[in-house]
Amino acid sequence: MKITLTKPDDWHLHLRDDEAMTSVVAHTAERFARAIVMPNLKPPVANTQLAADYRQRILDALPENSGFTPLMTLYMTDLLTSDEVIRAKQSGFVHGIKLYPAGATTNSDAGVADIRKLYPVLETMQRESMPLLVHAEVTEPEIDIFDRERVFIDRHMTKLRQEFPELAIVFEHVTTRDAVDFVRESNGPIGATITVQHLMYNRNHMLAGGIRPHYYCLPILKRETHQEALIEAATSGNSRFFLGTDSAPHPQHAKECACGCAGCYTAHAAIELYTEIFEAENALDKLEGFASHHGPDFYGMPRNTERITLQKRDWQVAESYRFGKDMVVPLKAGQTVHWQLITEQGG
Ligand code: NCD
Ligand code: ZN
């Protein structure tokens, strides 16, 4: 069996930098025409000039004639100004500004401590049609890690939606039924990315029978009922939900240790694994909307014209891939994937 789709885009991706980036970027470029590139480098990509420089490094790292377009983002810090938002908009290559609550995840110590201080900037974003991309987790230490997304909705997301009714908001990597319901029921322009690991797994996969560090990402995998809600949302055809892998490579030694860091590497097989999920749900007819249409429609960009073909054929994932001077262990390392990318056809 084969399926052909409009070439998809990845609306949430971590590419890293330097040789690490050079090792992984081809995986994404083979499968996706464009990707929203997250700005959590060290130091963060906090202004348009840094985004221009990073964009050039990505273009230089791409394989010849890849045709891949990086869509850049800025990292929102307490120092972001309205002038910078306008500069970013005018650049034409910055497509969103990412809000990380301070301390929420990998390289987020420069994140926002108090969202209310940034209301004037959000006002400008709303006026300039610059999307706000949100890592929606509270970071207060007394909040249970499994509740961080739900509490963020109650404390911040509802308020943000009300105060800025025309602001385009992407609720990144939704992981709970609460988030799915919020996105479905909200007014105004709102979308949500869904990762493949949150569709494939729940917290039992990560914790029962042994702790599996390569399933550890943030927001953390939740219980099965949330996984079910995500699968239902992704395969429903609702255009508010679209593909964002959150592929986040880390060196093997940084994941397999006493305090392993958060992030799953999925770029090597992303569209193949999403296809498995949609097939299992008898929803292959909804895959192209989720993977290739809803994202560009939300961001106001043209859909891609190239196409990709996937064939139902087993292949085995490598145990690890080179990652700069280190190795990265991919999701499903050493295991079988049932769909394979076979060709790329001109549009
Ligand atoms: C991401 C990373 O490693 O950059 N990790 C993750 O678990 N998703 C950061 C992020 O998006 O939260
Ligand atoms: Zn991410």
Side-chain angles (χ1 to χ4, degrees):
M1 183 166 50
K2 284 185 190 169
I3 56 167
T4 296
L5 303 176
T6 299
K7 195 167 188 181
D9 303 304
D10 184 349
W11 299 95
H12 185 134
L13 176 67
H14 297 272
L15 276 179
R16 312 309 188 201
D17 210 345
D18 305 321
E19 322 102 286
M21 166 167 70
T22 306
S23 322
V24 295
V25 69
H27 278 156
T28 293
E30 277 166 41
R31 290 164 179 80
F32 298 100
R34 299 170 287 198
I36 283 278
V37 180
M38 288 297 159
N40 60 331
L41 302 183
K42 257 185 168 163
V45 182
N47 63 50
T48 311
Q49 184 56 52
L50 290 171
D53 299 345
Y54 187 27
R55 179 173 172 275
Q56 191 56 51
R57 295 198 298 280
I58 297 168
L59 294 174
D60 293 343
L62 283 167
E64 199 95 331
N65 301 320
S66 73
F68 177 79
T69 305
L71 308 172
M72 308 310 294
T73 59
L74 298 190
Y75 189 113
M76 184 179 274
T77 70
D78 291 331
L79 304 175
L80 183 66
T81 62
S82 287
D83 284 350
E84 193 56 47
V85 171
I86 293 166
R87 230 183 330 270
K89 185 67 190 183
Q90 285 172 351
S91 77
F93 56 75
V94 176
H95 297 278
I97 300 183
K98 178 77 183 280
L99 166 62
Y100 288 103
T105 186
T106 310
N107 298 346
S108 67
D109 26 296
V112 171
D114 182 357
I115 299 175
R116 278 163 304 186
K117 292 213 179 92
L118 285 153
Y119 272 21
V121 168
L122 293 169
E123 198 70 61
T124 307
M125 289 173 64
Q126 176 169 255
R127 199 177 57 239
E128 297 286 323
S129 303
M130 174 61 79
L132 175 71
L133 319 183
V134 186
H135 183 114
E137 288 196 290
V138 297
T139 53
E140 284 81 352
E142 69 277 12
I143 303 296
D144 189 279
I145 186 168
F146 292 101
D147 297 334
R148 286 178 177 191
E149 186 173 272
R150 183 176 57 72
V151 174
F152 189 95
I153 297 171
D154 298 343
R155 289 193 185 168
H156 305 294
M157 209 57 147
T158 307
K159 190 94 193 298
L160 273 174
R161 181 68 301 171
Q162 278 165 5
E163 300 281 334
F164 304 99
E166 303 300 325
L167 178 66
I169 297 176
V170 183
F171 196 136
E172 296 293 344
H173 40 50
V174 286
T175 64
T176 56
R177 189 175 284 281
D178 313 73
V180 165
D181 289 346
F182 180 84
V183 170
R184 261 209 203 99
E185 290 157 22
S186 261
N187 296 318
I190 188 159
T193 51
I194 305 183
T195 80
V196 77
Q197 68 268 19
H198 291 98
L199 295 172
M200 290 166 62
Y201 303 124
N202 59 59
R203 64 196 197 183
N204 267 10
H205 295 98
M206 177 175 60
L207 296 170
I211 187 162
R212 295 179 191 77
H214 297 293
Y215 290 6
Y216 174 61
C217 66
L218 291 171
I220 199 162
L221 293 171
K222 307 298 192 297
R223 61 166 69 238
E224 188 177 15
T225 172
H226 297 293
Q227 181 193 5
E228 286 164 0
L230 299 172
I231 293 172
E232 209 282 312
T235 59
S236 67
N238 183 327
S239 64
R240 287 187 164 176
F241 298 97
F242 40 86
L243 186 158
T245 62
D246 195 18
S247 180
H250 288 275
Q252 181 169 11
H253 62 78
K255 298 275 307 166
E256 298 176 7
C257 62
C259 185
C261 56
C264 299
Y265 183 63
T266 55
H268 64 294
I271 189 63
E272 297 90 328
L273 293 171
Y274 281 106
T275 304
E276 279 191 13
I277 306 279
F278 278 67
E279 185 193 24
E281 294 302 305
N282 260 318
L284 280 176
D285 60 320
K286 298 290 196 302
L287 179 62
E288 188 174 39
F290 177 79
S292 317
H293 295 165
H294 302 168
D297 294 356
F298 180 86
Y299 276 89
M301 292 179 201
R303 295 175 179 179
N304 296 314
T305 51
E306 316 91 272
R307 301 180 72 73
I308 59 163
T309 297
L310 292 141
Q311 180 166 25
K312 192 154 187 205
R313 187 162 67 195
D314 285 359
W315 61 283
Q316 210 187 356
V317 175
E319 293 290 348
S320 59
Y321 294 103
R322 190 152 287 292
F323 185 53
K325 292 181 188 58
D326 298 295
M327 302 300 281
V328 57
V329 177
L331 203 75
K332 288 219 141 202
Q335 296 175 51
T336 302
V337 174
H338 303 297
W339 286 86
Q340 192 167 32
L341 187 66
I342 52 170
T343 56
E344 208 178 309
Q345 295 158 3

